[in-house]
DNA sequence: CTGATTGCAAAACGTTTGCACGTTG
DNA sequence: CAACGTGCAAACGTTTTGCAATCAG
């Protein structure tokens, strides 16, 4: 669990400047349960910072990724970011296609996967997509 | 298993023109065991067709995808294409990071994954990345 | 005060489009 | 010969870069 304070402290300890914009960015991700695209971030931040530029958003997303605060995932629709999960417990995710909310899955299929002897496994990806309870209700509610 | 003849026949039956370039493209994928990026395809085709343009490569990749001959997958490094697997048996892949070769995995983790009652699953992705025997050998061979 | 951070403009990159010409069926 | 395919140039959306002005420590 990353709080705004933890993120800010981590930035500061690395000699990075803690600007208003970065604090807001930290808060945005600390409060978001799921994935955000650079555009999502730009739009949210733009409400507070008029004249905000896309390149600053990208720069700060990259900074926070290198800091280990954010993790980046590539989806069909493009790149998205979320708070980095606590690293020690390896796990996967259920991802809501509507709101981007993620649930952890503790089950890892890798342990049961038979791999040819001569194939050296480096990494794997297991993601489940669908609709969370809330979004599912909203969807059926709007259907006449 | 898709042969060049099958692909050509499928194109022709859909009213598409069978040009030399498309035949070469079909042959390229019929002979390739793994994923190819648009750039890979462009470079290969460029050897035969001087003055080839990227847009034609993209157009034909899209045509063959819509035809169901190719399937498109999004990787960290970008979009790649390969021959569409026989649809009837659901499976996943081992993918070689060096040469793009893919092996099928018949095991599907989805059947064992516990999902909250209120989450409706739509699709899932399970991919294992590493190095195949051939690439592994080449890599260790070049290490002094 | 000094170096990090920002906005601006412009470039880079992968992909798509409109158009006129050439080719396939 | 008609419709489809091609190359060219140019547009597009996303991401990155160089620069000078500004800000945090």
């Amino acid at each position: 669990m990353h709080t705004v304070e933890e993120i800010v402290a981590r930035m500061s300890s690395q000699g990075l400047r803690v600007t208003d914009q970065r604090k807001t960015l930290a808060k945005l991700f600390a409060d978001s349960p799921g994935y955000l695209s650079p555009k999502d971030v730009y739009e949210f931040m733009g409400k507070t910072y008029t004249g905000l530029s896309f390149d600053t958003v990208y720069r700060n997303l990259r900074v926070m990724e290198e800091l280990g605060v954010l993790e980046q995932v590539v989806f069909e629709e493009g790149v998205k970011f979320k708070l980095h999960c606590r690293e020690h417990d390896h796990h996967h995710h259920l991802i809501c296609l509507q709101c981007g909310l993620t649930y952890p899955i503790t089950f890892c299929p890798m342990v049961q996967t038979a791999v040819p002897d001569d194939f050296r496994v480096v990494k794997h990806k297991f993601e489940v997509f669908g609709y969370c309870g809330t979004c599912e209700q909203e969807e059926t509610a709007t259907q006449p």
Side-chain angles (χ1 to χ4, degrees), chain A:
Chain A
M1 197 79 60
H2 285 295
T3 65
V4 177
E5 293 73 30
E6 283 173 329
I7 299 169
V8 165
R10 175 121 50 132
M11 287 202 286
S12 169
S13 76
Q14 296 293 317
L16 297 170
R17 304 273 154 93
V18 180
T19 63
D20 265 17
Q21 210 174 121
R22 285 182 176 167
K23 262 185 273 187
T24 307
L25 188 60
K27 182 158 169 29
L28 171 60
F29 277 102
D31 292 348
S32 291
Y35 289 94
L36 297 171
S37 68
K39 201 169 158 216
D40 293 335
V41 174
Y42 176 72
E43 279 163 9
F44 177 86
M45 302 281 288
K47 285 189 241 166
T48 311
Y49 306 93
T50 50
L52 174 71
S53 50
F54 242 113
D55 45 66
T56 306
V57 170
Y58 278 108
R59 270 189 288 238
N60 283 331
L61 287 173
R62 193 145 34 96
V63 163
M64 288 178 70
E65 200 208 344
E66 282 161 7
L67 207 60
V69 172
L70 296 183
E71 64 185 75
Q72 176 184 330
V73 179
V74 178
F75 293 103
E76 257 82 358
E77 330 82 59
V79 170
K80 299 198 176 181
F81 294 84
K82 73 186 269 295
L83 275 192
H84 197 296
C85 303
R86 287 151 299 186
E87 298 97 288
H88 42 277
D89 55 341
H90 172 76
H91 62 279
H92 298 278
H93 289 111
L94 291 179
I95 300 158
C96 177
L97 292 165
Q98 180 64 41
C99 68
L101 177 82
T102 64
Y103 296 91
I105 309 175
T106 51
F107 168 64
C108 175
M110 210 48 227
V111 297
Q112 299 185 25
T113 304
V115 173
D117 285 341
D118 63 346
F119 193 93
R120 182 167 63 89
V121 172
V122 170
K123 62 172 181 175
H124 63 280
K125 192 182 262 192
F126 177 45
E127 288 154 355
V128 181
F129 300 91
Y131 295 95
C132 72
T134 312
C135 290
E136 184 73 356
Q137 280 181 356
E138 281 168 14
E139 198 168 289
T140 50
T142 52
Q143 304 280 334

